[in-house]
Amino acid sequence: MDRGNLTAIREFVLLGLSDSSAHPHLLALLFLCMDLVTVLGNALIILAIGGDPRLHSPMYFFLSNLAFVDICFISTTVPKMVVNLLTDTLTISLEGCLAQLFFFISFVNKDSLLLCVMAYDRYVAICHPLHYATTVSPQLCLQLVAGLWVVTCLHALLHTMLMARLSFCASNVIHHFFCDLNPLLQLSCSDVSLNIMVILTVGSLLALTPLACILTSYGLIFCTILKVTSTQGRQRAFSTCSCHLLLVVLFYGTAIAVYFSPASSHTPQGDALSAVMYTTVTPMLNPFIYSLRNRDVKAALQKTLCM
């Protein structure tokens, strides 16, 4: 293709859910409410954990980090989508699109790795309680969190730089509510084979390895729970772990369906709805699943709200 006869695209149109919704204002109100619930819920978790010395332990340190990441995660995509649904300004600049892509990839992978770290923390606490204090030390907690921040930022930077080298000179309409990898690659008139290879190799490694670790950790936890003699204690533990696993399946299942399923099975509406599940629903549910079923966190929240 002769690049001299092509006009480079400098902005995109994010149709997202607005092209399939008959009531965009109601949809905007729904997502705005979900955004507020997510931000307020996770912010309360952070305040409660920070303000109660009894919760200054590895489990709650990871939980507060997850709450912070979830606030950033949902703030990367939902506010722009709400604005698009409420106004006719559906455009986003190429630079803004790349910035959104970087932060989205960074925070979605931080969420994934934090879920993995929290599963490992629960595995050590339940299966090896006598070694918990020495195994999951404060130094290890800081190293794990710092490491996942570095790894995810470098991974996001890799994808963003590979995307920035591409030319966009055909349609500028993105049938998605944010700038994601697959919709952008479909609009490129450059060779995207390197981008696809990185998604299938590095992306798979960063997505499937944490999932395997989570499933292994909870499998070992379930085996340990089965040995508990107290029926009530066993049922309570099963109930809590089942809720955690439900979130994991919701998060990873929809993400894997979007990025690693055959291209022939993709539709713009299907990918957008799947993306809503792991970008909006799971960050909103995390504080309820991981915190409100915990008596210590509920007590700290009540103390925080009554101050």
Side-chain angles (χ1 to χ4, degrees), residues 4 22 52 70 80 90 160 184 200 240 256 289:
D52 193 334
D70 280 338
K80 177 63 176 173
L90 304 179
T160 306
L184 283 172
L200 294 178
T240 301
I256 289 173
I289 298 297

Side-chain angles (χ1 to χ4, degrees), residues 53-99:
R54 296 174 301 171
L55 301 183
H56 294 175
S57 65
M59 179 176 72
Y60 297 112
F61 172 72
F62 294 134
L63 181 59
S64 61
N65 275 273
L66 180 67
F68 175 74
V69 167
D70 280 338
I71 291 174
C72 297
F73 186 19
I74 198 169
S75 299
T76 302
T77 57
V78 172
K80 177 63 176 173
M81 177 177 61
V82 170
V83 171
N84 287 354
L85 289 169
L86 291 176
T87 68
D88 293 328
T89 308
L90 304 179
T91 58
I92 183 171
S93 67
L94 175 61
E95 293 76 12
C97 194
L98 292 174

Side-chain angles (χ1 to χ4, degrees), residues 141-155:
C141 295
L142 289 172
Q143 290 168 359
L144 287 172
V145 170
L148 70 87
W149 272 82
V150 172
V151 168
T152 54
C153 285
L154 289 176
H155 179 239

Side-chain angles (χ1 to χ4, degrees), residues 10-129:
R10 303 302 303 176
E11 69 176 16
F12 298 98
V13 178
L14 289 171
L15 286 186
L17 303 175
S18 60
D19 61 342
S20 59
S21 173
H23 305 285
H25 288 186
L26 290 178
L27 195 60
L29 180 61
L30 172 63
F31 279 101
L32 180 60
C33 291
M34 293 172 71
D35 186 30
L36 291 175
V37 168
T38 303
V39 172
L40 292 176
N42 283 291
L44 282 174
I45 296 300
I46 295 171
L47 290 174
I49 292 174
D52 193 334
R54 296 174 301 171
L55 301 183
H56 294 175
S57 65
M59 179 176 72
Y60 297 112
F61 172 72
F62 294 134
L63 181 59
S64 61
N65 275 273
L66 180 67
F68 175 74
V69 167
D70 280 338
I71 291 174
C72 297
F73 186 19
I74 198 169
S75 299
T76 302
T77 57
V78 172
K80 177 63 176 173
M81 177 177 61
V82 170
V83 171
N84 287 354
L85 289 169
L86 291 176
T87 68
D88 293 328
T89 308
L90 304 179
T91 58
I92 183 171
S93 67
L94 175 61
E95 293 76 12
C97 194
L98 292 174
Q100 188 181 55
L101 178 69
F102 170 82
F103 287 112
F104 167 74
I105 295 174
S106 176
F107 286 118
V108 73
N109 282 300
K110 285 179 178 63
D111 228 0
S112 170
L113 291 177
L114 276 169
L115 290 175
C116 177
V117 169
M118 292 172 70
Y120 171 73
D121 173 77
R122 290 300 82 207
Y123 158 72
V124 177
I126 294 173
C127 300
H128 303 284

Side-chain angles (χ1 to χ4, degrees), residues 43-285:
L44 282 174
I45 296 300
I46 295 171
L47 290 174
I49 292 174
D52 193 334
R54 296 174 301 171
L55 301 183
H56 294 175
S57 65
M59 179 176 72
Y60 297 112
F61 172 72
F62 294 134
L63 181 59
S64 61
N65 275 273
L66 180 67
F68 175 74
V69 167
D70 280 338
I71 291 174
C72 297
F73 186 19
I74 198 169
S75 299
T76 302
T77 57
V78 172
K80 177 63 176 173
M81 177 177 61
V82 170
V83 171
N84 287 354
L85 289 169
L86 291 176
T87 68
D88 293 328
T89 308
L90 304 179
T91 58
I92 183 171
S93 67
L94 175 61
E95 293 76 12
C97 194
L98 292 174
Q100 188 181 55
L101 178 69
F102 170 82
F103 287 112
F104 167 74
I105 295 174
S106 176
F107 286 118
V108 73
N109 282 300
K110 285 179 178 63
D111 228 0
S112 170
L113 291 177
L114 276 169
L115 290 175
C116 177
V117 169
M118 292 172 70
Y120 171 73
D121 173 77
R122 290 300 82 207
Y123 158 72
V124 177
I126 294 173
C127 300
H128 303 284
L130 298 180
H131 301 285
Y132 180 74
T134 54
T135 302
V136 190
S137 63
Q139 293 81 6
L140 178 64
C141 295
L142 289 172
Q143 290 168 359
L144 287 172
V145 170
L148 70 87
W149 272 82
V150 172
V151 168
T152 54
C153 285
L154 289 176
H155 179 239
L157 184 61
L158 173 63
H159 281 294
T160 306
M161 291 176 66
L162 288 175
M163 190 66 70
R165 73 184 179 88
L166 301 179
S167 297
F168 301 92
C169 42
S171 171
N172 69 334
V173 177
I174 299 177
H175 293 277
H176 212 330
F177 59 90
F178 65 95
C179 292
D180 199 3
L181 288 169
N182 288 336
L184 283 172
L185 292 177
Q186 291 169 7
L187 298 182
S188 175
C189 53
S190 304
D191 181 10
V192 299
S193 56
L194 179 60
N195 299 67
I196 294 173
M197 184 187 72
V198 171
I199 291 173
L200 294 178
T201 53
V202 182
S204 297
L205 181 67
L206 208 56
L208 300 181
T209 302
L211 177 59
C213 292
I214 291 171
L215 295 178
T216 301
S217 296
Y218 277 107
L220 295 171
I221 288 171
F222 279 127
C223 291
T224 301
I225 291 172
L226 289 173
K227 301 175 184 177
V228 175
T229 55
S230 169
T231 304
Q232 184 178 3
R234 188 164 58 243
Q235 289 177 343
R236 186 167 60 249
F238 266 123
S239 174
T240 301
C241 290
S242 297
C243 289
H244 292 180
L245 274 178
L246 178 63
L247 264 184
V248 168
V249 170
L250 185 65
F251 179 82
Y252 281 99
T254 52
I256 289 173
V258 170
Y259 296 105
F260 303 111
S261 61
S264 58
S265 65
H266 287 250
T267 63
Q269 293 80 10
D271 285 353
L273 289 176
S274 294
V276 166
M277 298 304 290
Y278 67 84
T279 61
T280 307
V281 176
T282 51
M284 181 182 68
L285 293 178

